Amino acid sequence: MTPNNGTLDDYTCSRALILPLISEFTWPIEVRAFLYLFGLLYCFMGVAIIADIFMGAIEKITSTTRKVYLSRGDSQEPEVIEVRIWNDTVANLTLMALGSSAPEILLSIIEIVGNNFESGSLGPGTIVGSAAFNLMGISAVCVAAIPGVESRQIKGLRVFAITAVFSILAYLWLIFVLMGVSKNVVEVWEAVVTFLLFPILVYLAYLADKGFPWNKSRVSATTANGKQIELGSIQPVEAMVDGHTLTKDGQVDPNELAKWVRHASRMGLTGEDAAKLAAYKLITSKEHSRAWYRIGATRVFSGSKKVQPQLSIKLREVYDAINEHPDADSLGPLIETTPKNKATIEFHAIACAVPESVGRFPITIVRHGKTDNSVSVRVETIDGSAVGGEDFVSLNQVVVFEANEVEKQVTVEILDDTQYEPDEQFYLKLSLTGTKTGKQQDVVLGRISIMEVTVLNDDDPGTITFEERGILVKESVGVAQIPVLRKNGADGEVSVHWRTVDKNAISGKGYIGGEGRLVFKHAEMKRVIEIPISNDMLPDKDECFEVELSEPTGGAVLGSITKLAVTITNDEEFNSVLNRLADMTTANVDSMEVHHNTWTSQIKDAMNVNGGDIENATTSDYVMHFLSFGWKLLFAFVPPAGIWGGWLSFFVSLAVIGALTAIVGDLASIFGCLVGLDDAVTAITFVALGTSLPDLFASRTAAKNEKYADNAIGNVTGSNSVNVFLGLGLPWLIASVYHASKGAEFKVEAGSLGFSITIFTITAVLSLALLVIRRCSAACGRGELGGPLGTRYASAIFLVTLWMAYVILSSLETYGHIKSF
């Protein structure tokens, strides 16, 4: 559309495919420009929200699995695993790429069809402009977004190499089409080749993913009749957490969940809260698709239901404490019995509390098991609601136990201030230290490897009580741990006498009873009584015994719960409890699916801020929910992805995106005309940025959360290639065939488009060269993203400079300041 010349009596800025709906050409240009800009931004929000549903349908389709049975021998039942039907590479280059690029592709198609099959500037310009922003702008943000001095590498390097080559080849081919044999004319065969490059790209990328030509055997996965596959390279769909499989046959494995429940119970949480943490860990630990991150980014700025569970402050503190170092040994399987041939090191108590004015106080670390050797352990502080440097002095110290030493102390310092603060917590964590030859082989961490420290203002000796009136233990647990609390103060050393009392469980048969004195050192708030449980392997009924507290010393008093019943259940009954928690965890995970299975849930989430999670909704969630409510309510009537395997939602969403994209094209064209921008400039700036911003936030989140860079920038080159092959190849094919049937030629002026493509190709080669250099250079951390601060920010600045150079040079050429080809 030709830019407005500044007069009010022309109709130049009132001709588009759909808009304007009313006669508005007599309105002041400033008012019209503001309204069209507002409408454009609002429609960008609408496109992002319907794309959320569209990507949810794609996620549903591509996550489809089928069960495969693997033989484990004649005497065993076959193992059942779930495998994905869709290859990840094929899914990324077809449905995923279409999902992220649908607005640009549809805009190009709609522009040509709505313009009587004549070429326009908005569609092609948006495709090239989006490609430039994706490759240079998004890469710059992702390079700088990695926390600390970490670096991220692209894992699927072979596939990335294929898509990178095709992303350059695609634009070189466009230059040849526009300025080659048939200059300024797109012939049918050229359009056909452009379109056919898409399946060629997908096939070659699939071969690269399977290892061809490096590993030909992986490609030959089918027999001649195509009905038999080799399962050697199939990877089951399982969720791994800290190296352990938390799912089995698509459901949470109760045995693995038990470890999480016991971890969390030592931090003072209920089983239900432990199930929440397990669900959160399950979702955040497994690999996610680009669609998942794209949906998450959209929901953040629209105030919709988040793709991750929202944790309370307390649960977040516990989760961060447990997972501060996810690779540490203490996060592996818990030790059921004390190994006699190894030294076991742990804290003396689970928790302690100190007044804010205490200054320095000791923390006791004990060793048992093997004691005739020298071992070491690292103790460090982890922030909770109390922050290191503000509320306490951070600690990171190696403690050495010499031969025959069984107890050591470390000193923790609390920082006092004059401001009122509620009780705050931080954590101490034990981890094993390494040696020159690797980790120590003769030392393990005990059950209490994380200790909670509460900072309070109370110097009373405290009240000693049980935490609960009863607990349930499995008969094969080995040792029952009975938590004893010290409340309302923790000053000085106190103790309490305990003893077991037989009920229908008899000491020496169902358990090994006894009595003793439990000592709380100064500031300690929580300790455990350990009672061995006997497993007779008989299908007995539940057995019960009691533990009784009495005779407190040191000024402490007994609390309200001085007797605790311990119920010993057989494994089957205990498993029923764990199965219930597993079902709760599975329900939490299922509730976080990015797609909806029913209209009811889809409409409910659309009507409520943060999907109904009012407790964790922020002010920005309320604001964005209010602004986007109209779109969310309208699109809630799109068929949910749970119907027909997601395909109905896929096609209906695609149609809605197409209709909305037509309006976006009109709004952008008329707005650019009103403010004096050519369509080519509007396309590479406003429209390209508006359609790519969700990808920017999604890539940034993926860069920070993923171990590899594939979901951050690895898919950019593939998406850019698909944009050309579908976004230009398909409409050019339609238009060239139409004109050929009329005996005419489909003309596409090289002009500004050819110049823009040439500049982009040059900057794209430089950008990819930078990524290669970063991968190979130690100075850049040998990764495409992150690395040392100096080189990472220099790389980001270089990429942003390339993008700005592309925009400025393309704009100058459009207005005649640079001579075009």
Side-chain angles (χ1 to χ4, degrees):
M1 185 175 289
T2 305
N4 189 278
N5 60 13
T7 62
L8 298 178
D9 58 347
D10 69 6
Y11 296 80
T12 303
C13 297
S14 298
R15 296 194 301 270
L17 181 62
I18 300 174
L19 302 177
L21 298 177
I22 61 175
S23 179
E24 61 186 43
F25 61 90
T26 58
W27 299 2
I29 292 180
E30 294 80 4
V31 174
R32 293 182 66 197
F34 172 78
L35 291 176
Y36 274 96
L37 176 60
F38 177 81
L40 181 62
L41 296 178
Y42 193 66
C43 283
F44 280 147
M45 178 183 291
V47 170
I49 292 173
I50 185 60
D52 178 351
I53 300 176
F54 185 53
M55 295 294 275
I58 293 173
E59 181 81 356
K60 173 68 174 179
I61 294 169
T62 56
S63 62
T64 304
T65 62
R66 66 172 46 144
K67 290 185 177 180
V68 176
Y69 295 85
L70 301 179
S71 175
R72 293 194 293 187
D74 297 335
S75 60
Q76 298 185 26
E77 291 292 326
E79 179 183 0
V80 181
I81 64 173
E82 289 189 58
V83 296
R84 292 185 185 273
I85 295 176
W86 280 77
N87 174 269
D88 287 342
T89 297
V90 174
N92 285 335
L93 290 177
T94 53
L95 295 182
M96 296 291 186
L98 179 61
S100 62
S101 303
E104 297 97 317
I105 295 172
L106 291 175
L107 179 61
S108 181
I109 295 173
I110 291 170
E111 183 183 38
I112 283 185
V113 174
N115 199 30
N116 296 321
F117 298 98
E118 298 292 341
S119 178
S121 301
L122 198 63
T126 299
I127 287 177
V128 182
S130 295
F133 182 76
N134 290 344
L135 180 58
M136 291 164 255
I138 291 180
S139 295
V141 170
C142 291
V143 166
I146 307 301
V149 293
E150 300 176 20
S151 61
R152 301 278 193 276
Q153 290 185 338
I154 293 176
K155 183 180 180 181
L157 198 56
R158 295 169 182 170
V159 175
F160 179 75
I162 295 292
T163 57
V165 170
F166 266 78
S167 68
I168 301 299
L169 176 64
Y171 289 93
L172 291 176
W173 171 251
L174 291 183
I175 294 173
F176 172 79
V177 170
L178 296 176
M179 293 179 282
V181 178
S182 57
K183 186 174 183 179
N184 297 327
V185 175
V186 176
E187 297 181 352
V188 175
W189 73 269
E190 293 172 327
V192 169
V193 171
T194 305
F195 181 74
L196 289 181
L197 285 173
F198 171 62
I200 293 174
L201 165 64
V202 174
Y203 181 67
L204 291 179
Y206 172 76
L207 293 181
D209 179 59
K210 291 300 182 181
F212 184 84
W214 301 273
N215 186 2
K216 297 181 181 180
S217 61
R218 292 186 61 191
V219 182
S220 303
T222 60
T223 62
N225 59 15
K227 296 182 180 180
Q228 179 177 329
I229 63 174
E230 298 295 334
L231 298 179
S233 61
I234 284 183
Q235 296 297 323
V237 180
E238 295 176 332
M240 301 295 292
V241 175
D242 301 333
H244 305 286
T245 304
L246 260 184
T247 58
K248 184 178 182 181
D249 295 338
Q251 300 295 320
V252 174
D253 186 350
N255 292 327
E256 294 298 328
L257 176 64
K259 298 169 185 175
W260 264 93
V261 171
R262 291 161 62 195
H263 260 308
S265 65
R266 294 185 187 125
M267 304 297 287
L269 298 183
T270 64
E272 288 78 2
D273 285 338
K276 283 185 181 180
L277 287 185
Y280 185 85
K281 183 67 174 178
L282 193 63
I283 291 173
T284 56
S285 297
K286 66 181 182 181
E287 294 184 1
H288 295 289
S289 66
R290 183 170 177 81
W292 189 87
Y293 285 105
R294 171 70 182 258
I295 292 170
T298 301
R299 293 186 180 181
V300 166
F301 74 75
S302 64
S304 302
K305 178 183 177 182
K306 305 302 185 291
V307 296
Q308 291 182 346
Q310 305 294 293
L311 299 181
S312 65
I313 295 176
K314 175 63 177 177
L315 288 182
R316 169 64 67 177
E317 291 173 3
V318 174
Y319 180 84
D320 291 342
I322 293 177
N323 297 281
E324 179 72 13
H325 301 289
D327 295 327
D329 287 2
S330 61
L331 297 179
L334 299 176
I335 303 170
E336 299 294 347
T337 58
T338 302
K340 300 299 183 181
N341 60 339
K342 291 185 178 182
T344 302
I345 300 178
E346 60 184 343
F347 287 113
H348 185 260
I350 295 177
C352 72
V354 294
E356 189 179 38
S357 59
V358 69
R360 297 183 177 184
F361 68 97
I363 294 292
T364 302
I365 304 172
V366 296
R367 172 169 74 161
H368 47 90
K370 185 178 181 180
T371 60
D372 59 355
N373 59 335
S374 176
V375 296
S376 63
V377 67
R378 181 179 300 278
V379 58
E380 56 188 317
T381 53
I382 301 173
D383 289 353
S385 54
V387 179
E390 298 178 6
D391 301 301
F392 63 91
V393 177
S394 297
L395 178 69
N396 191 332
Q397 177 181 337
V398 174
V399 177
V400 179
F401 284 80
E402 300 296 344
N404 299 317
E405 274 192 309
V406 295
E407 184 176 301
K408 298 284 285 189
Q409 290 186 336
V410 294
T411 301
V412 178
E413 183 176 358
I414 303 298
L415 301 178
D416 195 5
D417 57 45
T418 58
Q419 296 181 350
Y420 169 77
E421 291 178 325
D423 291 352
E424 296 178 311
Q425 294 81 29
F426 65 96
Y427 304 92
L428 292 171
K429 183 180 184 305
L430 295 177
S431 59
L432 299 182
T433 59
T435 64
K436 293 182 179 180
T437 59
K439 287 186 176 180
Q440 303 174 85
Q441 301 299 318
D442 50 1
V443 59
V444 295
L445 295 178
R447 295 182 176 89
I448 311 176
S449 61
I450 297 177
M451 180 179 184
E452 183 182 49
V453 180
T454 300
V455 182
L456 45 76
N457 292 307
D458 197 334
D459 57 357
D460 192 79
T463 302
I464 300 178
T465 181
F466 285 120
E467 187 173 12
E468 299 174 295
R469 295 188 182 276
I471 63 170
L472 188 72
V473 298
K474 189 177 179 180
E475 65 177 352
S476 60
V477 71
V479 176
Q481 292 189 312
I482 315 298
V484 182
L485 302 183
R486 180 186 188 185
K487 296 182 176 180
N488 305 322
D491 186 53
E493 182 174 302
V494 300
S495 67
V496 65
H497 180 266
W498 66 268
R499 70 185 183 98
T500 59
V501 179
D502 291 349
K503 295 300 181 181
N504 61 342
I506 306 301
S507 178
K509 293 184 178 180
Y511 74 102
I512 300 176
E515 60 181 323
R517 183 159 290 275
L518 188 66
V519 177
F520 290 81
K521 294 184 181 296
H522 174 68
E524 291 183 343
M525 290 186 65
K526 188 174 184 179
R527 293 212 57 201
V528 295
I529 300 171
E530 294 190 346
I531 299 176
I533 303 297
S534 303
N535 186 3
D536 54 16
M537 304 299 292
L538 296 176
D540 299 329
K541 294 183 179 181
D542 293 350
E543 297 178 320
C544 177
F545 67 91
E546 288 185 350
V547 182
E548 210 175 58
L549 298 180
S550 61
E551 302 175 12
T553 65
V557 296
L558 292 178
S560 58
I561 307 177
T562 58
K563 290 185 178 181
L564 178 140
V566 180
T567 301
I568 307 172
T569 70
N570 59 49
D571 287 358
E572 182 178 352
E573 292 175 343
F574 189 84
N575 286 337
S576 68
V577 176
L578 284 180
N579 286 332
R580 181 175 62 84
L581 293 179
D583 290 341
M584 294 171 58
T585 303
T586 301
N588 284 326
V589 172
D590 291 343
S591 69
M592 302 313 299
E593 287 184 336
V594 296
H595 63 270
H596 295 88
N597 290 314
T598 64
W599 260 299
T600 302
S601 65
Q602 188 164 274
I603 294 174
K604 175 180 174 292
D605 283 352
M607 294 287 291
N608 294 285
V609 64
N610 201 26
D613 186 7
I614 306 298
E615 179 183 355
N616 294 300
T618 63
T619 302
S620 62
D621 286 334
Y622 281 98
V623 173
M624 297 310 300
H625 177 70
F626 173 77
L627 294 176
S628 61
F629 180 75
W631 290 124
K632 290 198 283 191
L633 185 60
L634 176 63
F635 298 148
F637 294 96
V638 171
I643 300 176
W644 294 356
W647 286 105
L648 181 60
S649 179
F650 175 86
F651 287 111
V652 173
S653 300
L654 188 62
V656 174
I657 292 175
L660 197 53
T661 299
I663 299 175
V664 167
D666 285 0
L667 289 169
S669 185
I670 295 175
F671 168 73
C673 179
L674 289 170
V675 298
L677 290 178
D678 190 274
D679 277 356
V681 178
T682 304
I684 66 174
T685 52
F686 286 96
V687 183
L689 286 175
T691 56
S692 298
L693 279 179
D695 290 311
L696 171 65
F697 295 117
S699 294
R700 182 177 180 273
T701 303
K704 295 174 66 176
N705 294 345
E706 293 277 319
K707 291 183 179 180
Y708 300 99
D710 298 67
N711 278 330
I713 62 170
N715 294 322
V716 168
T717 51
S719 180
N720 286 352
S721 304
V722 173
N723 276 359
V724 172
F725 303 147
L726 292 183
L728 293 180
L730 185 56
W732 281 3
L733 178 60
I734 296 171
S736 61
V737 170
Y738 173 82
H739 283 281
S741 66
K742 300 290 185 180
E745 295 178 330
F746 175 49
K747 295 185 178 181
V748 180
E749 293 294 331
S752 298
L753 179 60
F755 183 86
S756 178
I757 291 173
T758 302
I759 297 299
F760 168 73
T761 304
I762 295 172
T763 55
V765 170
L766 293 175
S767 300
L768 292 174
L770 174 65
L771 295 180
V772 173
I773 293 173
R774 288 184 54 83
R775 178 62 178 258
C776 300
S777 173
C780 298
R782 297 192 185 279
E784 288 81 3
L785 306 181
L789 297 181
T791 54
R792 84 159 59 177
Y793 288 123
S795 301
I797 292 172
F798 177 73
L799 290 169
V800 171
T801 302
L802 289 179
W803 177 69
M804 293 179 64
Y806 160 77
V807 172
I808 292 173
L809 291 176
S810 297
S811 301
L812 290 175
E813 190 281 332
T814 299
Y815 292 108
H817 298 292
I818 297 177
K819 185 177 180 180
S820 61
F821 300 116

